[in-house]
Amino acid sequence: MDVREDRLSRLEAVAPETRSRREVGVGRLTALAGAAVATTYLALVDPSGGGAYPMCPSRLLLGIDCPACGGLRGTHDLLHGHLGEALDHNLLLPAILAVLGTAFALWLLPLLGREARALVVPPWAAVTAAAVAVAFTVVRNLPVASLEFLASG
């Protein structure tokens, strides 16, 4: 067996097609349970008051708010039904959560006996989303008093 055939056989050994339905189901159920535990923790422990939450790398290294800054605090507020407070932490949060939730739900479809589907984003939508994220990041970090509502504070 040459090196190329050996490499291909190793790749086939870990390819999703070779995993059993049970293995795929267990992995997805584990991910769903992990998401439920993380969401429950986020609902119970306010990120504003501490807890085991990661620090935003852009805030830590560069001192600026990234497009997702305020997402944990905003999600905590959403879980408690406080939409206004959530939007105050991150105006893009509902859109970010909608995209992540849809992608996760499509990935979980095998648990319902259906084939998993990928979230297909047209190129124009991806470019638009990237442009909005960049513009949002720039504007929310400008030192202008009238734009302070965009900061993650």
Side-chain angles (χ1 to χ4, degrees), residues 74-87:
T75 303
H76 174 82
D77 288 335
L78 279 178
L79 291 169
H80 290 274
H82 305 288
L83 179 61
E85 288 88 348
L87 292 175

Side-chain angles (χ1 to χ4, degrees), residues 18-19 22 24 34 38 42 44 73 76 90-91 118 127 139 147:
T18 61
R19 296 187 314 176
R22 184 170 185 262
V24 170
L42 185 54
L44 296 174
R73 288 172 284 148
H76 174 82
N90 190 320
L91 199 57
V127 169
V139 172
L147 297 175

Side-chain angles (χ1 to χ4, degrees), residues 105-150:
L106 291 172
W107 183 75
L108 290 173
L109 282 175
L111 295 177
L112 302 174
R114 302 187 57 200
E115 187 176 326
R117 296 177 44 205
L119 181 61
V120 179
V121 179
W124 65 266
V127 169
T128 301
V132 167
V134 168
F136 181 66
T137 301
V138 169
V139 172
R140 81 185 311 201
N141 287 291
L142 290 175
V144 179
S146 63
L147 297 175
E148 285 182 4
F149 72 96
L150 291 176

Side-chain angles (χ1 to χ4, degrees), residues 39-114:
T39 302
T40 301
Y41 180 78
L42 185 54
L44 296 174
V45 181
D46 187 358
S48 298
Y53 296 106
M55 180 78 170
C56 175
S58 71
R59 175 65 74 82
L60 181 67
L61 299 173
L62 305 173
I64 63 171
D65 287 345
C66 74
C69 276
L72 287 174
R73 288 172 284 148
T75 303
H76 174 82
D77 288 335
L78 279 178
L79 291 169
H80 290 274
H82 305 288
L83 179 61
E85 288 88 348
L87 292 175
D88 183 47
H89 291 300
N90 190 320
L91 199 57
L92 296 180
L93 185 62
I96 292 169
L97 291 177
V99 169
L100 290 175
T102 301
F104 192 57
L106 291 172
W107 183 75
L108 290 173
L109 282 175
L111 295 177
L112 302 174
R114 302 187 57 200

